[in-house]
Amino acid sequence: LMQLKNDAAKQAGFNVILEIDPNFKTVVPQVESDAPAEQELTKYSSGIYKKQFDLKEFPREQGSTYIQISPALAEVIFPGWKEKMNQQEVKQLPLSKGTISIDIKRDQQLKKCRNVLGIIQGELKDEIIVVGAHYDHLGKYDGYIWNGADDNGTGTIGMMAIARAFKESGIKPKRTIVFAAWTAEERGLLGSSYFVKSHPFPEYIKAYHNYDMIGREGNIEKRDMNVSFMYSGTWPIAEELLKSANKDYELGLNIRYSAMKNPAAGSDNASFARVDIPIMWFHTGGHPDYHGPLDHADKVNYEKMATIVKASYLTIWKLANE
């Protein structure tokens, strides 16, 4: 979504975007711990949205500068903005003054982080399937730890489980499989983007399989077997293989299939889709603990997570060997 905003702003010729969060005061329940944090937590409390990161070797094209402002400041700059935004057609909000002057100072620092890769060499070295999940989350902030059990502990474990299953099968696959734990997804898909941009032969990559949040429901009190399966619309075999696995092995997943015309957003799948590599992505949806400090392991639906991994394994096995 941020990339779409940035592209639209660039085309319109905007240099600065002031982004208002109407729910700025929304409080996340306090965590029961001895952590020193006492201040109220919001969706943005992790500090993730306060910094911008770029790949040193592949800096992104300069776009608009985003500045988040509170509803109170928005009212000063755009009097009556909330009421006007509720109107059906809003072309322009009147400013309280004719111009706005903004001074921006940037402090750039070099940070090092790593992708973690494992490879099972297939008979064909020039045909590669990548199975990936990001292992980073939001870290520690204001005394709280954002553990990220669903986002994306579930995905990382799922990827490793598939790697282990392929290895323990003892069968050399036809195509080479790369298993990847991506870094810095939350900071802008940096790990997967670097892999794609620095790979000497990106044309060898025939497909990408993505895990990002595969273990929760919107309501933790109502467990289900629902999962969304998004894939490149130009690659219908992805849906065919998954439907076959779910039916033939009686896995019982309730799958929502979504063929995407341009799946270049949302998660690490975007890094591959942008260079026309077909993708598939399992995702069990958002929940109240998303990007909050309460995304804990005891809330994961392990039965559903394990079943998704089984379906994935069967799908990837066929892609790797047929």
Side-chain angles (χ1 to χ4, degrees):
L1 182 58
M2 182 66 75
Q3 185 64 45
L4 293 175
K5 288 182 181 179
N6 198 54
D7 292 343
K10 181 182 177 182
Q11 293 177 6
F14 297 149
N15 294 319
V16 177
I17 295 177
L18 303 180
E19 189 171 82
I20 308 168
D21 177 15
N23 301 314
F24 188 78
K25 294 296 183 180
T26 300
V27 178
V28 173
Q30 293 292 307
V31 179
E32 294 181 4
S33 70
D34 297 327
E38 296 181 354
Q39 68 182 51
E40 294 180 348
L41 295 174
T42 74
K43 177 181 177 181
Y44 302 110
S45 292
S46 69
I48 190 78
Y49 300 96
K50 298 179 181 179
K51 300 177 182 179
Q52 292 185 350
F53 286 75
D54 292 309
L55 291 172
K56 180 182 178 182
E57 294 85 351
F58 305 102
R60 59 185 167 187
E61 189 173 351
Q62 192 63 36
S64 303
T65 298
Y66 279 83
I67 300 177
Q68 289 185 351
I69 62 176
S70 66
L73 179 56
E75 187 64 33
V76 174
I77 302 174
F78 308 106
W81 68 272
K82 196 167 186 178
E83 292 75 16
K84 293 182 175 66
M85 288 297 290
N86 289 330
Q87 298 175 5
Q88 290 186 352
E89 293 186 8
V90 179
K91 294 184 178 180
Q92 183 174 352
L93 293 175
L95 296 174
S96 58
K97 296 183 180 180
T99 60
I100 299 175
S101 178
I102 299 175
D103 293 327
I104 300 174
K105 294 182 179 180
R106 292 186 176 180
D107 178 20
Q108 294 184 331
Q109 299 179 11
L110 181 63
K111 303 288 185 179
K112 291 186 177 181
C113 53
R114 291 181 172 87
N115 293 323
V116 181
L117 306 178
I119 301 175
I120 295 180
Q121 188 69 61
E123 297 173 8
L124 302 175
K125 297 182 179 180
D126 59 352
E127 294 191 18
I128 300 171
I129 295 173
V130 181
V131 180
H134 73 88
Y135 72 89
D136 67 297
H137 195 45
L138 304 186
K140 182 177 180 182
Y141 194 79
D142 282 344
Y144 291 93
I145 298 175
W146 269 247
N147 289 307
D150 187 37
D151 185 17
N152 189 29
T154 56
T156 307
I157 292 171
M159 176 274 297
M160 294 174 66
I162 293 177
R164 180 177 181 178
F166 265 91
K167 185 65 176 178
E168 292 188 354
S169 74
I171 300 175
K172 188 182 185 69
K174 180 178 179 180
R175 295 175 179 84
T176 296
I177 309 176
V178 174
F179 297 94
W182 306 121
T183 186
E185 186 269 354
E186 302 286 9
R187 300 293 183 176
L189 316 182
L190 302 186
S192 56
S193 178
Y194 178 83
F195 175 85
V196 173
K197 291 180 178 179
S198 62
H199 198 287
F201 305 105
E203 66 274 13
Y204 288 2
I205 304 175
K206 303 305 179 183
Y208 174 64
H209 183 288
N210 191 57
Y211 277 151
D212 195 351
M213 301 172 61
I214 59 169
R216 288 286 300 270
E217 295 87 12
N219 184 350
I220 194 174
E221 302 298 329
K222 296 181 180 180
R223 295 298 197 185
D224 58 49
M225 295 297 282
N226 299 337
V227 60
S228 293
F229 181 70
M230 293 155 280
Y231 62 95
S232 301
T234 56
W235 197 41
I237 190 176
E239 179 174 337
E240 296 170 10
L241 290 175
L242 182 57
K243 280 184 176 179
S244 176
N246 194 37
K247 178 182 178 180
D248 295 346
Y249 290 85
E250 300 180 348
L251 298 178
L253 287 173
N254 180 24
I255 305 171
R256 179 179 179 270
Y257 295 94
S258 180
M260 304 176 70
K261 182 178 180 180
N262 182 26
S267 185
D268 289 303
N269 52 276
S271 300
F272 294 82
R274 287 171 187 163
V275 292
D276 298 323
I277 296 171
I279 69 96
M280 59 174 73
W281 172 20
F282 283 92
H283 181 56
T284 51
H287 47 76
D289 300 323
Y290 171 68
H291 275 201
L294 303 180
D295 183 6
H296 293 160
D298 59 352
K299 299 179 180 179
V300 171
N301 182 342
Y302 289 99
E303 179 184 0
K304 177 162 68 174
M305 174 184 165
T307 306
I308 291 172
V309 173
K310 291 177 183 177
S312 302
Y313 174 77
L314 294 168
T315 302
I316 297 169
W317 180 273
K318 288 192 175 182
L319 287 174
N321 292 289
E322 295 182 2

